[in-house]
């Protein structure tokens, strides 16, 4: 009997581990997109920032901010992540967030926990209380809302008396995030993708389409459609998001490349 219980526990633990999201992973129904954020500052006492939408609701949820201080006068350079929505939590250790590498499970354990704070310092250099790391290269941060976990991949370097930078490479949107135990259903498909010109066809899967919205790389809606099966390609080349709402109310976000 003890062996049977132990076996069942091992099976349960195995399923739990397999279901956990890893850095860089894109689950079915979600999308990772490039927000086009590349901040660089060389003038002392200057600031630049950019916003990110992580749930496709036409409003921004996070802001990344780069500060070029004046280290020679103890004014630090800083990379900052600001939570615009107060229900977002970041995996943080109190002094700095947890930085994950690609393929690492996004478990927030040990010295780290899910924390809600208006502002997180990702790294700072040049002041009395510098915060490591001073630079990261294509690392991942984990965030969550209502148990749905996403990630943001970024690089920054604030250890400089000259030019500092902060880049966001990709963001895993939680637009289509669902519970791990929900049954799989067929998702809409957009093709051809990439699209050179002309139109793209939407295969809505079961139930049909209620509405379609096309968003640019920074989350602005550039086109809206009702019950359609084809949509015209955007005028300008680039990376877009296509938000498809089915007749059952379920929303799926697809990445669309206009060449």
């Amino acid at each position: 009997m003890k062996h049977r219980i132990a076996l069942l526990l091992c099976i349960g633990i195995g399923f739990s581990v397999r279901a956990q999201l890893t850095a860089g992973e894109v689950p079915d129904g979600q999308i990772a997109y490039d927000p086009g954020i590349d901040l660089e500052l060389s003038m002392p006492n200057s600031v630049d920032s950019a916003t990110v939408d992580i749930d496709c609701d036409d409003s921004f949820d996070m802001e990344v901010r780069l500060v070029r201080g004046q280290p020679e006068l103890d004014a630090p350079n800083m990379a900052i992540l600001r939570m615009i929505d107060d229900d977002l939590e970041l995996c943080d250790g109190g002094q700095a967030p947890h930085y994950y590498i690609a393929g690492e499970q996004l478990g927030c354990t040990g010295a780290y926990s899910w924390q809600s704070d208006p502002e997180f310092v990702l790294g700072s250099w040049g002041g009395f209380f510098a915060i490591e790391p001073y630079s990261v290269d294509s690392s991942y941060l984990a965030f969550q809302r209502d148990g749905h976990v996403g990630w943001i991949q970024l690089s920054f370097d604030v250890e400089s008396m000259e030019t500092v930078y902060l880049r966001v490479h990709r963001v895993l949107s939680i637009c289509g995030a669902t519970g791990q135990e929900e049954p799989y259903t067929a998702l809409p498909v957009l093709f051809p993708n990439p699209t050179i010109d002309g139109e793209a066809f939407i295969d809505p899967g079961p139930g049909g389409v209620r509405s379609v919205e096309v968003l640019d790389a920074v989350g602005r809606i550039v086109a809206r459609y009702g019950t359609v099966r084809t949509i015209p390609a955007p005028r300008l080349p680039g990376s877009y998001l296509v938000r498809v709402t089915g007749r059952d109310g379920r929303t799926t976000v697809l990445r669309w490349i206009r060449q």
Side-chain angles (χ1 to χ4, degrees):
M1 182 66 176
K2 291 181 179 179
H3 292 298
R4 184 179 179 185
I5 293 173
L7 177 61
L8 290 174
L9 287 173
C10 289
I11 292 172
I13 292 171
F15 280 125
S16 174
V17 169
R18 283 195 296 273
Q20 192 171 60
L21 186 69
T22 61
E25 178 186 357
V26 184
D28 291 335
Q30 293 177 248
I31 186 168
Y33 72 98
D34 178 358
I37 296 174
D38 188 352
L39 309 179
E40 190 170 293
L41 296 171
S42 57
M43 291 292 294
N45 301 314
S46 57
V47 179
D48 198 3
S49 64
T51 48
V52 178
D53 178 17
I54 57 95
D55 56 9
C56 304
D57 64 353
D58 303 331
S59 62
F60 295 111
D61 310 287
M62 298 178 182
E63 179 191 69
V64 289
R65 182 178 299 170
L66 181 65
V67 178
R68 165 64 164 92
Q70 202 164 359
E72 61 272 25
L73 298 179
D74 295 320
N77 303 327
M78 293 189 291
I80 296 168
L81 177 65
R82 190 171 71 88
M83 298 302 195
I84 298 173
D85 284 0
D86 58 11
D87 59 350
L88 283 172
E89 297 176 309
L90 190 74
C91 185
D92 188 82
Q95 291 295 321
H98 190 322
Y99 289 93
Y100 299 85
I101 62 172
E104 184 181 358
Q105 291 180 351
L106 300 182
C108 194
T109 59
Y112 297 91
S113 61
W114 295 111
Q115 296 189 27
S116 177
D117 198 297
E119 189 171 281
F120 295 90
V121 177
L122 306 182
S124 71
W125 181 81
F128 289 109
F129 302 103
I131 297 176
E132 295 189 70
Y134 308 137
S135 65
V136 300
D137 184 10
S138 300
S139 295
Y140 294 81
L141 301 176
F143 63 86
Q144 75 162 1
R145 173 192 283 160
D146 299 329
H148 298 311
V149 178
W151 48 256
I152 177 170
Q153 184 191 26
L154 50 75
S155 298
F156 66 80
D157 188 347
V158 295
E159 190 179 8
S160 174
M161 300 286 281
E162 298 178 355
T163 300
V164 297
Y165 69 83
L166 169 59
R167 301 184 180 106
V168 179
H169 306 293
R170 290 197 304 161
V171 177
L172 177 65
S173 163
I174 58 173
C175 313
T178 59
Q180 293 285 347
E181 303 301 322
E182 291 189 14
Y184 172 78
T185 57
L187 298 172
V189 176
L190 180 73
F191 60 91
N193 189 10
T195 303
I196 298 177
D197 55 20
E199 296 182 330
F201 177 77
I202 299 175
D203 180 356
V209 171
R210 177 189 296 172
S211 66
V212 177
E213 295 173 315
V214 180
L215 299 84
D216 65 15
V218 296
R220 294 172 299 200
I221 294 178
V222 297
R224 282 193 177 95
Y225 306 96
T227 304
V228 295
R229 296 298 296 271
T230 61
I231 57 176
R235 183 174 60 87
L236 298 176
S239 178
Y240 295 84
L241 301 179
V242 178
R243 182 163 55 204
V244 181
T245 302
R247 293 186 185 278
D248 60 359
R250 294 173 65 93
T251 298
T252 301
V253 178
L254 308 171
R255 186 177 183 184
W256 189 17
I257 304 298
R258 165 67 163 94
Q259 291 185 337

